[in-house]
Amino acid sequence: MATAKSLQPRIFSSFLGDNNSFRSTQPLLHLFRFDSGRRHVSMQLSRTFSGLTNLLFNRRNVDEVIDGKRKRLRPGNVSPRRPVPDHITKPPYVDSRKVPGISSGLEIHDKKGIERMRASGRLAAMVREYAGTLVKPGVTTDEIDEAVHNMIIENGAYPSPLGYGSFPKSVCTSVNECICHGIPDSRPLEDGDIINIDVTVYLNGYHGDTSATFFCGNVDEEAKKLVQVTKECLDKAISICGPGVEYKKIGKIIHDHADKHKYGVVRQFVGHGVGRVFHADPVVLHCRNNEAGHMVLNQTFTIEPMLTIGSRNPVMWDDNWTVVTEDASLSAQFEHTILITKDGAEILTTC
């Protein structure tokens, strides 16, 4: 599950009509705001785009067809929060009801910690792959959430997104133009959709975090290529990781490969350290950057590039979570949790 950052003090999003433009007068605020100069992260949960969802989803736009192929994504009904048995260990943020920020310090593990990270990563991967088998026309994302929730609980783990701040569900389901943090709801998947399923589990005190983009039915070649290249970006980034490697090389190799195929790279959402806490240092940028820092033996973090066919600019819905491309163009994402080893990097979220 990506965290969010801003390298600029303010980010604005504009909506262009035939002859008029609408520009928000408030900054685009995400869950986290990252100040690269001060290495500071502050929480931002204001309803910045209150009213903008209405602009996107007014009567004229509700059934708008994008490129003559699909309807613009719009919110469905969200079911009540699913219960978790008392015997399941919950992350501290659930009981505190406070929205956690990015914890300072790297997630570096001893032998016992590494084994626990492998276990949580393996379970997250198993859940991710199971969820992918459920992707079919007519299935709702809420049904996927229910299945994911039950599988995680049955394996003695806690679904990390549930109760993280105000997030009401156990998995993120991001369909078509949704960049990330889509809330599962009553919308049935349609033939030709693509969907990113982002799974994080908390098992024995450690988080395993992963996502993949799946095809629903008959997907066109344009969408297939976007998904393929996004996966290639993740694979290329992991291949260069190892002790002493600068984090900024991750952003460069992803950005270079995306540019080769003329795709946009979303800059506002980033990879992160993960382990005993859900989101920790380092902040892993997926675009070219000059941020300092290098990888350390036995540390764990995520890499999770998000690519777009069209605009890379994000718009947040009024739910303060769902983020979509401003032009409704397709977006894809893949994510792994990795462990830095003496020989390079081990992918923990495989099964």
Side-chain angles (χ1 to χ4, degrees), residues 3-7 32-42 101-106 247-248 270-273 280-285 289-294 299:
T3 69
K5 65 90 195 173
S6 171
L7 291 179
F32 300 105
R33 177 175 294 281
F34 173 57
D35 185 324
S36 61
R38 295 187 296 159
R39 302 294 299 173
H40 175 70
V41 176
S42 59
I102 296 180
S103 298
S104 60
L106 305 179
Y247 298 119
K248 67 182 180 181
V270 299
H272 52 88
D281 282 335
V283 171
V284 180
L285 305 181
N289 66 90
N290 290 312
E291 292 296 308
H294 61 271
Q299 78 168 126

Side-chain angles (χ1 to χ4, degrees), residues 11 89 265:
I11 300 177
T89 301
V265 179

Side-chain angles (χ1 to χ4, degrees), residues 225 229 233 251-265 267 286-288 307-308 312:
K225 182 181 177 184
V229 172
C233 283
K252 183 179 186 306
I253 198 167
I254 289 172
H255 212 150
D256 285 350
H257 193 58
D259 278 355
K260 179 181 176 181
H261 295 276
K262 297 181 169 47
Y263 292 139
V265 179
R267 291 158 168 75
H286 303 119
C287 57
R288 296 186 193 95
L307 270 57
T308 64
R312 61 176 175 79

Side-chain angles (χ1 to χ4, degrees), residues 91-273:
Y93 54 78
V94 176
D95 291 332
S96 71
R97 298 186 179 181
K98 294 181 180 179
V99 181
I102 296 180
S103 298
S104 60
L106 305 179
E107 282 288 315
I108 301 173
H109 307 281
D110 58 16
K111 184 177 180 180
K112 180 179 179 181
I114 290 172
E115 288 307 310
R116 290 191 172 185
M117 283 299 299
R118 286 180 175 136
S120 64
R122 184 165 53 251
L123 176 58
M126 291 170 61
V127 175
R128 179 197 67 217
E129 293 306 298
Y130 171 62
T133 68
L134 305 177
V135 175
K136 296 178 178 65
V139 174
T140 68
T141 51
D142 187 63
E143 289 173 320
I144 293 174
D145 179 79
E146 181 179 20
V148 164
H149 180 90
N150 291 338
M151 183 175 180
I152 293 172
I153 297 304
E154 288 167 3
N155 281 275
Y158 184 89
S160 302
L162 185 64
Y164 185 88
S166 61
F167 199 81
K169 290 296 177 180
S170 298
V171 67
C172 298
T173 52
S174 301
V175 180
N176 294 337
E177 68 263 34
C178 186
I179 295 171
C180 61
H181 301 164
I183 298 175
D185 61 21
S186 61
R187 177 193 181 274
L189 294 173
E190 298 179 3
D191 188 62
D193 283 348
I194 61 173
I195 175 174
N196 177 269
I197 300 177
D198 192 336
V199 174
T200 312
V201 305
Y202 184 68
L203 179 66
N204 296 323
Y206 290 76
H207 297 272
D209 191 2
T210 184
S211 84
T213 300
F214 298 94
F215 301 141
C216 181
N218 299 304
V219 175
D220 65 30
E221 291 304 315
E222 182 181 49
K224 287 181 179 178
K225 182 181 177 184
L226 172 68
V227 172
Q228 176 186 339
V229 172
T230 307
K231 178 63 164 60
E232 290 170 357
C233 283
L234 175 60
D235 293 342
K236 286 177 177 291
I238 293 172
S239 73
I240 63 159
C241 291
V245 176
E246 295 174 301
Y247 298 119
K248 67 182 180 181
K249 291 188 176 180
I250 291 174
K252 183 179 186 306
I253 198 167
I254 289 172
H255 212 150
D256 285 350
H257 193 58
D259 278 355
K260 179 181 176 181
H261 295 276
K262 297 181 169 47
Y263 292 139
V265 179
V266 176
R267 291 158 168 75
Q268 289 81 0
F269 295 89
V270 299
H272 52 88

